[in-house]
Amino acid sequence: MKIGIIGTGMVGATLGSKLVQLGHEVKMGSRTANNENAVEWAKSNGSKASAGTFSDAAAFGDVIFNCTAGGVSLNALKLAGSENLKGKVLVDVANPLDFSKGMPPTLTVCNTDSIGEQIQRTFPDVKVVKSLNTMNCKVMVEPSVVPGDSSIFLAGNDAGAKEKVRGILESFGWKAGTIIDLGDITASRGTEMVLPLWMRLYGLYPNQSFNFRIVK
Ligand SMILES: NC(=O)c1ccc[n+]([C@@H]2O[C@H](COP(=O)([O-])OP(=O)(O)OC[C@H]3O[C@@H](n4cnc5c(N)ncnc54)[C@H](OP(=O)(O)O)[C@@H]3O)[C@@H](O)[C@H]2O)c1
């Protein structure tokens, strides 16, 4: 597949590198054409990796990953361009964390709305799938760093888009039974609102190699 990564932080780099290792072509986008992180990431990931603007990455990808801070995600995706995103699957990994008043962060949106829903409302032609946001990025791409089988969530309005994302998750090593489809995009609220709990656990387990497991 051709994949566009919107975001040059740790999450974009980790997902991008894993996707390249799996044989996909990946373009990482930034607000600027020559972002230092993006250029460095592309250089160290070989010929299948490239860098450009948000708009370049969105135009390039058949599947897009939103890897920007939740509070700026709508702005980043507007810069990516609705015409470049139209009809595509967009995996939203963002969390609405606001660190501006120090630790612990607060949520910029919660209870009756979420970043996933804001993106879906703003870009109705995009198939938004919320996933991966409830764990550290090393766990996202290598679930076995957490002993045993832990859980990962999917939420989105389009069944075909969720199947596509399920396939990507399985290629990362997530076993079929550990991927939990929570339903439509409003389920993003719950997965974003576990972040205060995740932050608290991070205080206890600073190496971040932990995850939630749903037991029935
Ligand atoms: N760290 C984790 O393991 C983890 C786990 C789960 C979920 N998440 C979530 O994943 C997302 C990405 O996290 P991250 O730490 O990798 O990156 P980040 O620092 O949250 O975001 C980096 C990106 O945000 C863009 N950006 C900053 N200000 C902007 C603005 N005003 N308008 C548009 N774009 C702007 C930057 O653009 P430039 O490239 O131009 O600088 C950059 O591409 C976050 O929502 C985070 O909560 C993180």
Side-chain angles (χ1 to χ4, degrees), residues 42-175:
K43 222 190 274 177
S44 55
N45 278 275
S47 62
K48 287 185 186 296
S50 59
T53 61
F54 286 149
S55 167
D56 294 333
F60 178 84
D62 301 317
V63 172
I64 313 296
F65 282 76
N66 173 40
C67 306
T68 62
V72 299
S73 290
L74 285 181
N75 190 42
L77 293 170
K78 282 175 186 162
L79 293 170
S82 56
E83 69 288 357
N84 294 323
L85 297 170
K86 195 174 178 179
K88 296 182 178 174
V89 174
L90 184 144
V91 187
D92 176 33
V93 182
N95 280 313
L97 298 177
D98 179 1
F99 292 93
S100 64
K101 295 191 178 67
M103 292 292 273
T106 54
L107 301 177
T108 60
V109 57
C110 63
N111 293 334
T112 54
D113 201 3
S114 60
I115 301 297
E117 288 166 271
Q118 290 178 344
I119 295 172
Q120 186 62 82
R121 273 201 307 278
T122 308
F123 302 94
D125 296 329
V126 175
K127 297 166 189 166
V128 181
V129 179
K130 188 89 194 184
S131 194
L132 295 159
N133 62 308
T134 51
M135 65 200 70
N136 172 261
C137 56
K138 288 189 222 114
V139 181
M140 293 179 194
V141 299
E142 202 63 63
S144 63
V145 301
V146 177
D149 288 342
S150 57
S151 306
I152 187 163
F153 306 109
L154 282 177
N157 298 344
D158 188 282
K162 284 193 282 192
E163 275 316 296
K164 190 158 216 165
V165 177
R166 184 185 285 277
I168 294 172
L169 297 181
E170 288 180 1
S171 74
F172 287 173
W174 292 95
K175 294 179 193 159

